Amino acid sequence: MNIIVLSAILGVLMMYSGIFIKNKSAFRLIAAAGMAVLLGFNIAETYGYSLFNINTRFFLSFERFGLLFNSICIFSTMVYVLVSGRDIEKLGRYTAEAYALLFFIMVGIGIITSYTNLLMLFIGIEIVSIPLYILTGFDKRNLKSNEASLKYFLMGAFSTGIMVMGIALLYGATGSFMINIPRVGLSYLEAMGLLMLFVSLLFKASGAPFHFWTPDVYDGAPTVFTSFMATVAKVAIFAAFIKLMEAKYHGMGSQTERLISIVIVLTLAFGNLTAVFQQSVKRMLAYSSIAQAGFMLFALYAVNDAAKEGLLLYAAAYTLATIGIFAVLAKMDDQTYEGFNGLSKNHPVIAGVLVVFLLSLAGIPLTAGFFAKYFMLASVVKAGGNLTLVVLGVLFAAVSVYYYFRVIQAMYFKEGDSALALKTTAGFKYIMVAIAAIIVLLGVYPDALLHFFYF
């Protein structure tokens, strides 16, 4: 409960701080401090110390998995604020409002990681989505940003309609909004409702065939916000997804498994094969985010302890690596592969940490991304799933190595004089090195994160 109440308070305070504080850099420090406070109280709640004792019995349930997921999201957002805050300041004069929206998104994340009632799921999803529509169009002077925002809003409204319809059908079938209700069999009405809910969440998570909005929206949004949309906001949807699967879909037979298998293969195929042909690194990352969503969908197939462990590790590995890459990308004028030519000569530290991030996204050993993918595939094997699906996952991971290594090749093996358009401070480099160190630590010792799930 701490994350929901405190995020709402911090968001409001952040919004009104714009009236009294004129120094934009101060907002970044206030937001980072607010996230640190939020993280501290969320960790305290994980160990049983809650500031707010509110009866949420029929709406929310704060379990260890959700609380740990919250901690990963809050920590990732704090890192995001520290490395990308200066780029947010350059987008206009509403800097305080941008940070306030991040806090409001944390409220939504707190709800969707703990919901036990479909109405709360709907409210949580919308609290996350609406600020994202605004952040996508935050650069008002850029027509592409405005277009992306409008497209995102229209597609988001469409998926919301499907979600509401699905919830209505489920209520009609069961007479309750609760996700954990005893049932005997599955009526046609309930099956339709679940299917519509599944489709709407797939849309939010960029799962195929409902991923079509992702490249254009991610490409059109200001790069500094694409980073947040593609990471923290996306992985939170999977936390909601796995709760729904655990309560409603799990154990419902081979037809459900077959449906999820098809979605996984389609998502991996569309994401990876299309990313191969991109010339813009930003657009490649947009497509690769679809591919990464495909890997996270493995958790929904298995829905066991290994899947939950894998999803936690995946959330940490993917968000940190992607935030790091986008933080560099936001400082570059030329965001094509050619723009990275020879970057290692002018910025050896930045190039070095980028290598770690890209290797992690590709799932190379000694990085967190390797164990994240391993746990996902292992969860399917542990659940007695289709081994063909596991083999396809490995093959598509191999495909992803090609487009991630193109960036490394450009930085180290191609002639060029690439330079960052915006200056990087020593503090920025220290944080980037720290992120890379965490990714390597989790790649060598994943229990550093996972033991919090059990203790």
Side-chain angles (χ1 to χ4, degrees):
M1 198 67 195
N2 288 351
I3 183 175
I4 297 173
V5 179
L6 286 177
S7 289
I9 294 171
L10 288 168
V12 172
L13 290 176
M14 197 79 225
M15 196 164 56
Y16 283 103
S17 69
I19 299 172
F20 307 103
I21 300 173
K22 301 303 175 190
N23 182 1
K24 286 185 176 181
S25 296
F27 296 131
R28 174 168 50 90
L29 299 175
I30 294 170
M35 288 295 169
V37 169
L38 206 54
L39 179 63
F41 279 104
N42 189 71
I43 291 173
E45 188 170 2
T46 308
Y47 292 98
Y49 301 101
S50 180
L51 274 180
F52 308 97
N53 293 312
I54 301 171
N55 184 3
T56 57
R57 182 182 168 194
F58 296 108
F59 301 98
L60 302 169
S61 175
F62 299 94
E63 298 164 355
R64 185 168 288 270
F65 174 75
L67 290 168
L68 184 51
F69 211 94
N70 291 344
S71 293
I72 293 170
C73 289
I74 297 167
F75 178 75
S76 301
T77 307
M78 185 173 70
V79 170
Y80 164 77
V81 168
L82 290 172
V83 298
S84 302
R86 292 181 190 279
D87 299 314
I88 295 175
E89 294 164 16
K90 294 178 172 58
L91 285 177
R93 58 195 178 98
Y94 299 105
T95 309
E97 287 77 359
Y99 288 121
L101 291 174
L102 297 184
F103 281 108
F104 292 142
I105 289 172
M106 287 296 117
V107 176
I109 289 174
I111 293 173
I112 64 179
T113 56
S114 57
Y115 74 94
T116 56
N117 185 305
L118 291 174
L119 288 181
M120 296 310 294
L121 170 65
F122 169 71
I123 291 170
I125 292 283
E126 289 309 297
I127 291 176
V128 171
S129 299
I130 292 170
L132 290 179
Y133 304 149
I134 300 169
L135 292 176
T136 304
F138 204 77
D139 188 0
K140 291 184 173 56
R141 299 159 295 185
N142 187 337
L143 189 60
K144 204 172 172 183
S145 173
N146 292 320
E147 181 188 340
S149 180
L150 180 62
K151 182 179 284 187
Y152 194 15
F153 171 72
L154 293 175
M155 293 295 105
F158 181 68
S159 77
T160 298
I162 295 175
M163 177 181 285
V164 172
M165 191 64 197
I167 292 173
L169 290 178
L170 284 171
Y171 183 79
T174 64
S176 171
F177 289 118
M178 301 296 290
I179 59 172
N180 284 311
I181 55 168
R183 65 172 184 273
V184 179
L186 187 69
S187 68
Y188 175 75
L189 202 59
E190 190 177 7
M192 282 299 295
L194 283 170
L195 186 62
M196 295 182 85
L197 209 51
F198 185 74
V199 167
S200 67
L201 286 175
L202 265 186
F203 176 92
K204 301 288 185 186
S206 308
F210 309 102
H211 65 288
F212 50 86
W213 59 275
T214 310
D216 290 341
V217 171
Y218 283 12
D219 193 31
T223 304
V224 67
F225 292 131
T226 305
S227 167
F228 187 78
M229 293 162 61
T231 54
V232 180
K234 173 176 279 195
V235 297
I237 300 297
F238 281 93
F241 225 150
I242 201 164
K243 280 182 73 73
L244 182 70
M245 296 297 296
E246 202 171 26
K248 289 283 190 186
Y249 270 113
H250 188 45
M252 286 174 56
S254 58
Q255 287 186 341
T256 306
E257 291 178 354
R258 197 173 299 125
L259 173 68
I260 297 173
S261 300
I262 293 170
V263 170
I264 290 172
V265 174
L266 285 177
T267 307
L268 288 172
F270 276 120
N272 283 300
L273 298 180
T274 320
V276 166
F277 299 101
Q278 301 305 309
Q279 298 305 315
S280 159
V281 173
K282 185 179 181 184
R283 208 161 170 86
M284 177 274 283
L285 289 171
Y287 279 105
S288 88
S289 79
I290 296 171
Q292 300 287 349
F295 252 96
M296 284 185 265
L297 284 169
F298 278 109
L300 308 184
Y301 180 96
V303 195
N304 50 26
D305 286 344
K308 285 186 169 182
E309 290 172 358
L311 194 58
L312 288 168
L313 195 58
Y314 215 107
Y318 170 65
T319 53
L320 290 176
T322 307
I323 284 171
I325 295 172
F326 271 105
V328 176
L329 201 61
K331 297 184 183 303
M332 301 185 74
D333 279 338
D334 185 356
Q335 297 183 340
T336 63
Y337 283 97
E338 286 71 26
F340 284 82
N341 286 351
L343 187 71
S344 62
K345 294 177 184 172
N346 294 328
H347 301 279
V349 176
I350 296 295
V353 294
L354 277 180
V355 170
V356 176
F357 300 153
L358 291 163
L359 292 180
S360 182
L361 289 180
I364 302 298
L366 300 182
T367 62
F370 169 75
F371 274 113
K373 285 184 167 59
Y374 170 78
F375 273 88
M376 286 297 173
L377 298 176
S379 68
V380 175
V381 175
K382 190 176 178 182
N386 189 344
L387 288 180
T388 306
L389 190 63
V390 176
V391 172
L392 285 173
V394 174
L395 290 177
F396 280 119
V399 172
S400 73
V401 171
Y402 170 76
Y403 52 81
Y404 290 130
F405 267 67
R406 281 185 68 190
V407 182
I408 298 174
Q409 182 192 29
M411 289 190 298
Y412 284 92
F413 302 108
K414 288 197 173 180
E415 292 298 324
D417 192 28
S418 292
L420 301 181
L422 301 176
K423 288 183 180 178
T424 55
T425 62
F428 176 82
K429 290 178 183 173
Y430 288 139
I431 297 169
M432 294 289 275
V433 170
I435 298 172
I438 293 171
I439 288 173
V440 173
L441 172 67
L442 292 177
V444 177
Y445 184 57
D447 284 350
L449 172 68
L450 296 178
H451 88 279
F452 289 109
F453 186 33
Y454 297 104
F455 298 101

